[in-house]
Amino acid sequence: MRRFSIPMMGFMLLCYLATSTEAVYVKYKDPRQPLGARVKDLMRRMTLAEKIGQMVQIERSVAKPDVMKKYFIGSVLSGGGSVPAPEASAETWVNLVNEIQKGSLSTRLGIPMIYGIDAVHGHNNVYKATIFPHNVGLGVTRDPRLIKKIGAATALEVRATGIPYVFAPCIAVCRDPRWGRCYESYSEDHKIVQAMTEIIPGLQGDIPAKSRKGVPFVGGKQKVAACAKHFVGDGGTTNGIDENNTVINANGLFSIHMPAYPTSIIKGVATVMVSYSSWNGKKMHANGDLISGLLKGKLKFKGFVISDWYGIEKIDANYSCSVQAGVSAGIDMIMVPFNYTDFIHELTNQVKNNIIPMSRIDDAVKRILRVKFIMGLFENPLADLSLVSQLGNKKHRELAREAVRKSLVLLKNGKSADKPLLPLPKKTLKILVAGSHADNLGYQCGGFTITWQGLSGNDLTIGTTILNAVKNTVDPTTQVVYSENPDAGFVKSNKFSVAIVVVGEPSYAEMIGDSFNLTILEPGPSTINNVCGAVKCVVVVISGRPVVIQPYLAKIDALVAAWLPGTEGQGVADILFGDYGFTGKLACTWFKTVDQLPMNVGDSHYDPLFPFGFGLTTRATNN
């Protein structure tokens, strides 16, 4: 009988152990197992540190692979404008996400992280992505099927960059246009907002038949987890001040601001983000009655609840109190986004000292893991390059162009009803295009485009300005003259057939956009006066909300609300020149003066310049 040396026996023993380790069956890694069994199996293996790590979401810039591994970080996000490189390609994004993910996969249990990003009107942080109209325009369409298609296109473009989770849709009901986030709202009417939640199955996929109410659904690698936000009442703050107090009784909150949430839950939304705002003086980030009691309890929401950016810190000046209040209220994932060690240390101490019960931590982690399992992250944690061609592709741009056409509202057409100005003839002698927004892609897209606040100019991304759209549309014999802010003498001396004046608001986001005057950006008013006093004109307003227009209305021959149309300005020219007809109807009230605000349809003092639901129509012409 052959004898083995001791070193040889040791080597064979190691080989045997390695083989047997590989053969060990781990239930949570088995996709054939029921969802509940996988969650339960993984939970019983986790330490407190691993559980708390899952509750933490950190910013991309600090999410190094060693940080992910050391602290068991559960999620990463890109804040507004946070990108791996200027004009980063889809491939660069995929590589970034995968590098971070590999850090998570190298942990003891190999729990994948989930990467989230704003995609509030397309994949808006990413160069070359299709930028769709902001929600204020999409509400005008009253077309849930179109909105669902936009969700599906957005999901493909987000997945093209390796990202599986978006902070969208915003289902706020904007009741006061002075609010700087009003363009993120589909309407002042909750029924329209509810209808537009059809973007959720567009983003996530249609929930399976007989699906349990409240259980999230994400249908594979071409879909993303969505996030209904901001829970709840963010569009009803006093004077429209961002992050302010919504003063309204329970009946008002539940009848105006709440209805889209049950609808979103029925459609399988994966996550819900809490609002910075307060309800009758109580911070929503600390409102356990609404988060745990209503959302998780009565509405049976089974996904996870996420805070807003630094939302926890804004509860109380004392950080410990803030952590206790937010986590105790039922927030599951905390958008830290930088001070993750402070948060982890504080929450760990509170659990060990029985300030926050372990049951609350377990509830949070179960919800987070449930979403990750449902998304298929455990089976497919790393992104590939198979979808990179989806970013900004022609099909999505044509869809965005259609959305632009359907979102335009014709508010005035001719000095008298029997002499309409629109549609314009494509063949004429000379057309003047004027205004600060006529050749400005940044203004056209608005906030949350490439950067948080948006940009001015034409070098932020790829798209078509309204000026170029006009040039693309008119007959080759028609002369198009562009002058951003011409004086009256220039207009009169050039014998223009007609003028198109494009003016509006600068780009803005969130509280930076709060406005108490709602005026058009200078020199917009002077451009209207100089041009419309000298030649027949159509004024196209680029804005995130109704703005002051009454003082100029008598001079204007035709008036179009174009909202924030995004990259596909060609959709505006399609309508102006009659390739398609106007169909859009106002989804918000257009006031006469800001002194009337807040003013919504049904109010006793309702006296608008253009009422909710107003919109003239035209027919397509072959000119």
Side-chain angles (χ1 to χ4, degrees), residues 320-321 323-325 327-328 346-358 360:
S320 295
C321 293
V323 171
Q324 180 185 351
V327 175
S328 297
E346 183 58 44
L347 184 55
T348 302
N349 281 344
Q350 291 194 20
V351 174
K352 287 182 176 179
N353 290 311
N354 298 316
I355 297 169
I356 292 178
M358 195 67 202
R360 173 73 273 274

Side-chain angles (χ1 to χ4, degrees), residues 24 28 32 40 65 70 73 85 94 167 225 232 243 255 301 342 353-354 388 397 417 419 529 555 595-596 621:
V24 169
Y28 77 85
R32 297 167 300 181
K40 186 176 180 180
K70 181 177 179 180
I73 301 297
V94 168
F167 306 126
V232 61
E243 303 184 17
S255 64
F301 174 61
D342 292 345
N353 290 311
N354 298 316
V388 294
R397 291 187 182 277
K419 292 184 179 180
N529 288 326
K555 281 190 175 181
D595 295 336
Q596 296 174 296
T621 60

Side-chain angles (χ1 to χ4, degrees), residues 215-466:
V215 176
F217 175 76
V218 181
K221 293 196 289 183
Q222 295 190 0
K223 297 295 182 180
V224 294
C227 179
K229 65 183 191 181
H230 307 86
F231 185 81
V232 61
D234 49 340
T237 58
T238 302
N239 297 325
I241 298 172
D242 193 35
E243 303 184 17
N244 199 15
N245 191 24
T246 298
V247 180
I248 193 170
N249 62 25
N251 182 60
L253 186 79
F254 288 106
S255 64
I256 296 171
H257 298 284
M258 189 68 75
Y261 285 95
T263 306
S264 299
I265 291 166
I266 289 169
K267 292 179 179 180
V269 73
T271 73
V272 170
M273 184 181 291
V274 183
S275 177
Y276 285 128
S277 59
S278 303
W279 177 39
N280 294 335
K282 186 174 182 65
K283 292 274 189 182
M284 275 306 310
H285 272 72
N287 197 319
D289 291 337
L290 290 179
I291 297 172
S292 292
L294 180 75
L295 183 63
K296 292 181 173 182
K298 189 173 182 180
L299 298 181
K300 301 186 183 333
F301 174 61
K302 302 298 184 186
F304 69 78
V305 177
I306 186 169
S307 80
D308 208 333
W309 179 277
Y310 280 125
I312 286 282
E313 282 84 346
K314 297 187 180 189
I315 296 174
D316 193 284
N318 182 294
Y319 186 63
S320 295
C321 293
S322 291
V323 171
Q324 180 185 351
V327 175
S328 297
I331 299 175
D332 305 311
M333 183 176 284
I334 315 302
M335 195 182 289
V336 180
F338 296 104
N339 301 326
Y340 53 92
T341 55
D342 292 345
F343 174 78
I344 290 169
H345 177 75
E346 183 58 44
L347 184 55
T348 302
N349 281 344
Q350 291 194 20
V351 174
K352 287 182 176 179
N353 290 311
N354 298 316
I355 297 169
I356 292 178
M358 195 67 202
S359 59
R360 173 73 273 274
I361 303 301
D362 285 344
D363 171 61
V365 179
K366 283 177 185 176
R367 290 169 175 276
I368 293 164
L369 295 178
R370 181 182 292 131
V371 170
K372 290 183 177 184
F373 279 122
I374 285 168
M375 293 174 68
L377 278 178
F378 281 82
E379 287 69 57
N380 297 290
L382 297 174
D384 58 39
L385 302 178
S386 61
L387 295 175
V388 294
S389 63
Q390 296 289 338
L391 187 67
N393 73 12
K394 185 177 179 181
K395 183 179 179 182
H396 298 163
R397 291 187 182 277
E398 284 301 315
L399 179 64
R401 182 174 170 180
E402 177 188 355
V404 173
R405 292 193 295 263
K406 291 182 176 179
S407 67
L408 302 182
V409 182
L410 181 58
L411 298 172
K412 182 178 181 181
N413 192 15
K415 294 285 177 69
S416 60
D418 60 335
K419 292 184 179 180
L421 180 62
L422 298 176
L424 300 173
K426 293 179 181 177
K427 190 171 185 177
T428 189
L429 289 176
K430 190 160 51 171
I431 295 175
L432 171 64
V433 178
S436 53
H437 290 55
D439 191 33
N440 195 310
L441 191 64
Y443 284 166
Q444 202 171 290
C445 291
F448 286 102
T449 308
I450 305 301
T451 68
W452 175 40
Q453 291 294 320
L455 297 163
S456 175
N458 292 331
D459 57 357
L460 73 164
T461 191
I462 306 300
T464 303
T465 67
I466 293 171

Side-chain angles (χ1 to χ4, degrees), residues 135-154:
N135 289 355
V136 66
L138 296 182
V140 162
T141 72
R142 290 167 171 76
D143 188 346
R145 289 194 297 177
L146 173 66
I147 272 57
K148 185 176 181 179
K149 289 180 182 178
I150 290 171
T154 300

Side-chain angles (χ1 to χ4, degrees), residues 504-565:
E505 294 187 294
S507 297
Y508 57 82
E510 300 189 47
M511 73 290 295
I512 308 299
D514 287 354
S515 172
F516 288 108
N517 55 41
L518 294 175
T519 52
I520 291 171
L521 180 69
E522 288 290 351
S526 61
T527 305
I528 293 172
N529 288 326
N530 290 342
V531 175
C532 295
V535 64
K536 284 186 178 180
C537 74
V538 51
V539 171
V540 178
V541 179
I542 304 294
S543 67
R545 52 203 165 183
V547 290
V548 173
I549 199 70
Q550 189 182 35
Y552 325 111
L553 193 57
K555 281 190 175 181
I556 295 169
D557 293 279
L559 177 63
V560 176
W563 315 108
L564 297 169

